[in-house]
Amino acid sequence: MVQAAGVLSLLAAGLSFSGQASADTSACAAYGSVQPGVNPSFQHINCLLTEEALKQEIPPEVVKAIATQENGGWKQFDESGQAVVSDDGGIGLMQLTNQSQFKEELLKTDLAYNIEAGVTVLGQMYDSNVPKIAGAGRDVIENWYFPVMAYNGIKPVNSPIKQEDGEKNTAAYQEQVFAEIKASSFLNDRSFADFGFKTSDFQYDPEKTDNIVFKKMSYTPTGKLNQTAYNLQKGDQAVTLNTPALRSIPGGGPEAVIKTLPEGTLLTVTGPFQFDENPKSNRQFVWYPVRTADGKTGFVSSAYLEKSDKPAAPLFKDVSANHRFYNDIAALSSQGIISGYPDGTFKPGSQVTRGEAATMVVRALGLPTNGMKPIEVAKKQGIINGDRNGRLAETEPVTRAQVAIILTNAFNLKETVSISFTDVHSRMAAYDSIRRVVAAGIAYGDNNKFNPDKPVTRGELAAFLNRTLER
């Protein structure tokens, strides 16, 4: 339960963990709107807690564990639709108490406001005068040990060790929260670094309720520190902890298991994390889409992933991890939209034919071919046009102007922007399409030119198509 702690300085801008969307209700709109008096599904609240934690640059594992410690069922409202209020005045999901900086009525009626307020208070505790780990940042979970303690109160009852015998105080609030992190976010497969607490670190009278005085403000724990699992981004390398299952969907039962991955398997993250597809699931962790070294794709629980500094395994012989279009090629390859050649190369600098471009777009859209050539399917769908004589010119190179038309037709691009390329004019057939791909951030010019007649390479088309899919 959060006790009155005074108004502390608000969070300053700092490290961003994952580049996810801002933490507000719109970021979780796929679950529907948040209604007053109605508790959303567990996974909806999981999304709200995660997004708000990332917005305020706090490990979501910590925020979720606090929510569990404060309100085990993750309930904002009781059966009558009224806010859950504890005997000592704790309000709603985050159980805020005596917090004059927030509006009490909104803490009761607005779940998103309640979550934002609770996470804000936790961030304020981090910025307060509590001990920290030397050299560690906000992404290190252990560095939130004392801020979590402060969230509940820097009181003798929460001393990390017992004054009389130096034994660990497992009943302390922060110890229970960290036990929850280990159980629900780590699935008991990881341990926390040891602070090596001593009774001389803390001064207090166990018979009184005065705040603990910290005699030691900087720690260097022994053992490996744990970073949040939510800092993985597309293109990152991750290593498996324990032996997780590679699944075909985020979550799912035995039927979704593709294979079991050995401990220490190196994976490439191919996109942002996703929440459990089962809205009734009470699993707090998330799922990352990954690709194995042998090309298998699927999802792995964040509980079993850790960022790796090892270099990425070559995707293709001629596409290194620092290639300009590596992430785009990797993303499309993992989805089966593009493939390489039998000799293990991709040939990113080779020109793309109109037929090859049509094939990639048809695969990206998941259109059935039913025995037809992909370019014929694309023509039937109004994606690609022939010349004045009806020729599809399947083997001819596709140009940047033609790609603009293809992507505009295939993905129904609507938004336009003013352009001033010296080699593009309003009478061109591709004029409006070029305006649309530029507006969508799919293609750009160079030295005030768009180069509409320039043939597109395989690497460039991968970038154009992946940017389109990402938007």
Side-chain angles (χ1 to χ4, degrees):
M1 199 75 62
V2 176
Q3 306 297 326
V7 180
L8 304 175
S9 60
L10 294 178
L11 289 171
L15 174 66
S16 177
F17 291 157
S18 70
Q20 298 288 328
S22 296
D24 55 18
T25 53
S26 63
C28 304
Y31 292 99
S33 59
V34 178
Q35 301 295 328
V38 179
N39 289 309
S41 70
F42 186 94
Q43 287 304 315
H44 192 169
I45 296 179
N46 191 20
C47 178
L48 293 171
L49 289 168
T50 300
E51 295 298 331
E52 187 61 40
L54 292 173
K55 177 183 178 182
Q56 300 202 37
E57 299 179 349
I58 299 175
E61 298 95 331
V62 176
V63 171
K64 295 177 191 182
I66 287 178
T68 302
Q69 183 65 22
E70 295 288 350
N71 188 315
W74 283 12
K75 302 294 184 184
Q76 172 75 10
F77 306 104
D78 60 24
E79 293 181 356
S80 64
Q82 300 299 309
V84 173
V85 180
S86 64
D87 293 340
D88 60 352
I91 301 173
L93 177 64
M94 301 303 288
Q95 287 289 286
L96 295 174
T97 306
N98 299 329
Q99 288 288 324
S100 59
Q101 59 181 309
F102 304 111
K103 297 179 180 179
E104 182 174 321
E105 186 60 25
L106 287 178
L107 289 175
K108 292 180 177 180
T109 60
D110 190 330
L111 171 60
Y113 182 86
N114 188 284
I115 291 174
E116 180 182 13
V119 177
T120 296
V121 170
L122 179 59
Q124 291 172 344
M125 296 303 107
Y126 184 93
D127 288 343
S128 67
N129 191 31
V130 296
K132 298 289 195 314
I133 295 174
R138 298 174 70 93
D139 57 338
V140 174
I141 291 176
E142 285 91 338
N143 213 19
W144 290 86
Y145 182 90
F146 286 102
V148 169
M149 175 187 182
Y151 187 90
N152 183 258
I154 305 172
K155 302 296 181 181
V157 68
N158 286 332
S159 174
I161 56 177
K162 299 177 182 179
Q163 193 179 67
E164 60 271 20
D165 56 16
E167 293 294 317
K168 177 184 287 189
N169 180 15
T170 57
Y173 178 85
Q174 70 278 5
E175 287 289 337
Q176 295 181 6
V177 168
F178 270 66
E180 174 61 25
I181 295 174
K182 185 174 181 179
S184 295
S185 288
F186 291 171
L187 298 181
N188 294 314
D189 282 322
R190 283 188 255 179
S191 298
F192 294 110
D194 184 4
F195 279 83
F197 294 128
K198 298 178 181 179
T199 55
S200 58
D201 294 349
F202 313 102
Q203 179 180 313
Y204 62 92
D205 184 342
E207 302 300 323
K208 296 182 180 180
T209 59
D210 295 340
N211 281 352
I212 294 173
V213 176
F214 298 116
K215 306 299 289 184
K216 183 176 181 179
M217 298 302 294
S218 180
Y219 286 86
T220 304
T222 58
K224 186 178 181 180
L225 294 171
N226 292 274
Q227 285 189 330
T228 176
Y230 293 74
N231 62 358
L232 291 170
Q233 300 187 48
K234 178 180 174 182
D236 282 347
Q237 297 299 291
V239 64
T240 57
L241 306 172
N242 207 307
T243 55
L246 180 69
R247 299 174 186 267
S248 58
I249 60 174
E255 73 284 352
V257 175
I258 299 172
K259 68 176 184 176
T260 299
L261 302 173
E263 184 171 2
T265 299
L266 195 63
L267 303 168
T268 300
V269 177
T270 60
F273 63 73
Q274 298 183 31
F275 294 94
D276 206 300
E277 286 196 354
N278 179 4
K280 296 181 180 180
S281 168
N282 62 356
R283 293 182 284 206
Q284 295 183 16
F285 50 77
V286 294
W287 301 86
Y288 275 99
V290 297
R291 174 176 49 80
T292 65
D294 60 358
K296 294 286 192 304
T297 60
F299 294 85
V300 173
S301 162
S302 61
Y304 298 116
L305 290 178
E306 183 177 63
K307 190 172 183 179
S308 173
D309 294 328
K310 292 182 180 180
L315 181 65
F316 298 103
K317 291 180 180 179
D318 52 354
V319 182
S320 64
N322 59 1
H323 189 280
R324 178 184 178 189
F325 300 125
Y326 176 85
N327 287 340
D328 301 298
I329 294 170
L332 298 190
S333 176
S334 69
Q335 299 172 63
I337 295 172
I338 60 176
S339 58
Y341 292 92
D343 64 356
T345 62
F346 181 74
K347 297 180 174 38
S350 296
Q351 294 181 2
V352 182
T353 67
R354 287 167 53 85
E356 290 170 336
T359 298
M360 293 182 192
V361 172
V362 166
R363 287 176 181 170
L365 294 173
L367 298 176
T369 57
N370 298 322
M372 300 172 63
K373 289 184 176 181
I375 196 169
E376 295 171 342
V377 175
K379 181 181 179 181
K380 184 177 180 181
Q381 295 291 329
I383 296 172
I384 195 168
N385 301 314
D387 60 19
R388 294 178 179 177
N389 299 318
R391 294 174 58 253
L392 289 176
E394 181 178 6
T395 60
E396 293 182 6
V398 67
T399 65
R400 287 170 58 87
Q402 292 168 350
V403 167
I405 294 173
I406 291 171
L407 294 179
T408 296
N409 293 339
F411 296 94
N412 196 25
L413 303 180
K414 295 293 187 183
E415 184 180 352
T416 62
V417 68
S418 297
I419 55 177
S420 57
F421 300 119
T422 58
D423 53 358
V424 176
H425 55 80
S426 59
R427 298 184 303 278
M428 295 173 57
Y431 180 72
D432 282 336
S433 296
I434 292 172
R435 294 174 63 202
R436 285 171 168 78
V437 295
V438 172
I442 296 168
Y444 310 95
D446 183 30
N447 293 324
N448 206 30
K449 292 184 178 181
F450 187 77
N451 298 310
D453 298 323
K454 182 181 178 182
V456 174
T457 66
R458 286 167 57 82
E460 290 170 338
L461 184 57
F464 293 150
L465 185 52
N466 191 47
R467 291 169 192 166
T468 307
L469 292 174
E470 285 185 333
R471 66 177 295 276

